[in-house]
Amino acid sequence: MQGRQIKQCGLSSLTLLATFLHCNCLPHSTGGKPFPETAKEIASYAKVAKSIIDLAVYGKAQNRSYERLADFTDTIGNRVSGSKNLDLAIKYMFSALRKDGLENVHLEPVKIPHWVRGEESAVMLQPRNHTMAILGLGSSVATPQGGIEAEVLVVESFEELKKRQKEAIGKIVVYNQPFVSYGETVQYREFGASKAAEVGAVATLIRSITPFSINSPHTGWQDYQEGVQKIPTACITVEDAMMMARMAKRGQRIVVRLTMNAQTFPDADSFNTVAEIIGSEHPEQVVLLSGHLDSWDVGQGAMDDGGGALISWEALSLLKDLGLRPRRTLRTVLWSAEEQGGVGAQQYFQLHKVNISNFNLVMESDQGTFTPLGLQFTGSVQARAVMAEVMKLLKPINTTTLEEHGEGIDIEMWMDAGVPGVSQVCRLPSIVCLGDMLKRLPRSLFDSCSTCVSLTFVILTSHVPLLQKCF
């Protein structure tokens, strides 16, 4: 799950809202007929909704997506951008989608970043000897041979760093920022290294971006700012960041030796993986459902985002099993290099934006496969009214919440261009760590997530008028 997605979606949604307010997109009618008739039509598909829920939760598809994910993650493991494991994952999924009998299964080539972590360590030498658990951040440079040994400056914010900038020269800056929300706090991981380098620091250690820790460091992508010296950067555990903050408050001198052997290689060849159920009446019109196949190089990548990828596959499988062929094409795309900033998705957009008028809805499943609470939605007033009626059909699985602002770095460019966007509400904690394992995912909730996605899309593609867009 790439860090920028949450805060940037807020900005793009405000832009879309301003656009929609200047359009005739009011919920008085839908597709040329009064809105009450549309609402009645949606309600009439309660039997379709029940058939999907019964198949996914109680029928032969019960636990299927979980078992598929188990086989996938056990066979492949983690899948960082540019790695052989990601290549194997793409081949695995391409074969599995074809074997499942889905249509138009193919690969679309992309170029993706190739960064390798290498060996890394951080040892506190003063005021006592202590080996810290760390994870280098994606795109970080290496330390000089032999590592960096330097005194530590602990700060809690960029504002404090600015006030104490003269103290930062030649030091390792430790950020002990309190967790507020992922979208707000992730800025320290993304920009902390460059902010510290601007005031003369030699490296940064950043408190992991998570509200919960059991001495487990997290990783993720970080961005060096143009024209600023690149310095090594890694995440440390919440516990170690808080400990060093206490030591600093007591006036104790803290010295750390940091060693990182990270390397960045030329961009690698990769693919976005595509499968469809082709529409019966309007095959050129597309509803896009997606997750990402890549992960970080720790854990199994089961939650981020193996689960999302399998949900996107399962949605097609459930419709196929029930013989439900939508009027418009339902397309699943499994992205490559999402964790590096939605790289594969950006290239997909550039390739397909010429047909943007045929994209009716886009969705990304990258918020986890925990208890599904509902959906987040970006779209016109009229489209939102349609979605609110659809959500009523999800009452049997208690997934009825409809929030504003669809999220997902892989779909935000579509939403910026006026295409309605949807993401799931699962209240996912940050899990980019060694604990991203299949064991964390309950079987039953995975079925509910699959049902939520599948039901929403069968209604939107098969039975209700197109969602209004304002281009």
Side-chain angles (χ1 to χ4, degrees), residues 254-271:
I254 306 168
V255 176
V256 167
R257 180 188 295 124
L258 175 66
T259 304
M260 296 176 62
N261 294 312
Q263 297 182 73
T264 297
F265 296 95
D267 285 355
D269 293 320
S270 189
F271 300 92

Side-chain angles (χ1 to χ4, degrees), residues 137-204:
L137 295 177
S139 82
S140 176
V141 296
T143 58
Q145 189 173 4
I148 293 173
E149 185 176 316
E151 189 174 344
V152 163
L153 172 67
V154 182
V155 298
E156 289 193 354
S157 66
F158 290 142
E159 291 73 22
E160 183 181 357
L161 176 64
K162 186 175 182 180
K163 290 178 181 178
R164 302 178 65 186
Q165 58 183 304
K166 291 183 179 179
E167 299 176 57
I169 297 173
K171 292 182 181 177
I172 296 173
V173 169
V174 170
Y175 290 100
N176 181 42
Q177 75 287 340
F179 183 88
V180 179
S181 67
Y182 191 82
E184 182 174 341
T185 312
V186 76
Q187 64 179 316
Y188 289 92
R189 189 193 75 202
E190 291 184 332
F191 309 121
S194 288
K195 293 282 189 182
E198 286 177 333
V199 295
V202 295
T204 56

Side-chain angles (χ1 to χ4, degrees), residues 45-46 50 52 73 80 85 87 166 170-171 220 231 245 248 275 283 286 305 320-321 341 348 363-364 394 408 444 471:
Y45 296 112
K50 185 177 184 301
I52 297 175
T73 54
V80 71
N85 271 18
D87 290 342
K166 291 183 179 179
K171 292 182 181 177
I231 61 175
V286 175
D305 184 34
K320 177 180 68 68
D321 291 348
Y348 181 90
M363 177 170 181
E364 180 169 12
L394 298 175
S444 59
F471 291 107

Side-chain angles (χ1 to χ4, degrees), residues 106-410:
H106 65 279
L107 303 176
E108 298 189 7
V110 292
K111 285 282 190 180
I112 61 173
H114 185 191
W115 176 84
V116 176
R117 177 180 307 282
E119 294 183 3
E120 54 191 16
S121 65
V123 180
M124 180 191 294
L125 303 176
Q126 294 182 34
R128 68 177 177 89
N129 190 276
H130 169 63
T131 299
M132 295 186 286
I134 70 166
L135 283 175
L137 295 177
S139 82
S140 176
V141 296
T143 58
Q145 189 173 4
I148 293 173
E149 185 176 316
E151 189 174 344
V152 163
L153 172 67
V154 182
V155 298
E156 289 193 354
S157 66
F158 290 142
E159 291 73 22
E160 183 181 357
L161 176 64
K162 186 175 182 180
K163 290 178 181 178
R164 302 178 65 186
Q165 58 183 304
K166 291 183 179 179
E167 299 176 57
I169 297 173
K171 292 182 181 177
I172 296 173
V173 169
V174 170
Y175 290 100
N176 181 42
Q177 75 287 340
F179 183 88
V180 179
S181 67
Y182 191 82
E184 182 174 341
T185 312
V186 76
Q187 64 179 316
Y188 289 92
R189 189 193 75 202
E190 291 184 332
F191 309 121
S194 288
K195 293 282 189 182
E198 286 177 333
V199 295
V202 295
T204 56
L205 295 173
I206 301 166
R207 172 172 161 169
S208 291
I209 313 302
T210 178
F212 176 77
S213 177
I214 49 173
N215 205 40
S216 51
H218 290 223
T219 189
W221 196 250
Q222 67 89 38
D223 290 307
Y224 288 122
Q225 301 306 291
E226 188 174 352
V228 179
Q229 177 69 31
K230 295 180 179 180
I231 61 175
T233 180
C235 272
I236 56 176
T237 68
V238 172
E239 291 84 350
D240 280 340
M242 294 179 70
M243 178 183 67
M244 284 190 281
R246 293 192 299 269
M247 289 175 171
K249 190 174 182 180
R250 297 186 195 111
Q252 293 175 292
R253 183 172 184 264
I254 306 168
V255 176
V256 167
R257 180 188 295 124
L258 175 66
T259 304
M260 296 176 62
N261 294 312
Q263 297 182 73
T264 297
F265 296 95
D267 285 355
D269 293 320
S270 189
F271 300 92
N272 292 322
T273 308
V274 183
E276 295 179 338
I277 292 180
I278 298 173
S280 60
E281 295 181 20
H282 305 287
E284 76 287 355
Q285 297 178 2
V286 175
V287 169
L288 188 148
L289 175 60
S290 69
H292 63 90
L293 273 187
D294 66 296
S295 72
W296 279 105
D297 56 342
V298 292
Q300 287 183 308
M303 289 179 278
D304 190 10
D305 184 34
L310 268 293
I311 286 174
S312 302
W313 172 12
E314 182 69 11
L316 299 184
S317 290
L318 291 173
L319 302 192
K320 177 180 68 68
D321 291 348
L322 288 168
L324 295 172
R325 180 168 294 276
R327 292 174 181 163
R328 304 166 191 95
T329 295
L330 180 57
R331 178 181 299 166
T332 284
V333 183
L334 307 180
W335 310 114
S336 191
E338 183 273 349
E339 298 291 359
Q340 286 64 39
V343 176
Q346 287 284 351
Q347 293 174 54
Y348 181 90
F349 177 74
Q350 292 302 320
L351 180 65
H352 294 277
K353 66 180 181 180
V354 65
N355 296 315
I356 195 169
S357 62
N358 282 329
F359 282 78
N360 300 297
L361 187 69
V362 292
M363 177 170 181
E364 180 169 12
S365 181
D366 193 21
Q367 297 293 312
T369 46
F370 297 96
T371 303
L373 304 177
L375 298 177
Q376 296 166 313
F377 180 71
T378 292
S380 68
V381 175
Q382 184 173 14
R384 186 175 182 83
V386 171
M387 285 297 299
E389 295 302 314
V390 172
M391 296 305 294
K392 294 177 182 179
L393 298 176
L394 298 175
K395 188 175 181 179
I397 56 172
N398 297 314
T399 306
T400 56
T401 300
L402 183 62
E403 298 183 358
E404 296 183 354
H405 308 322
E407 297 177 0
I409 194 168
D410 293 317

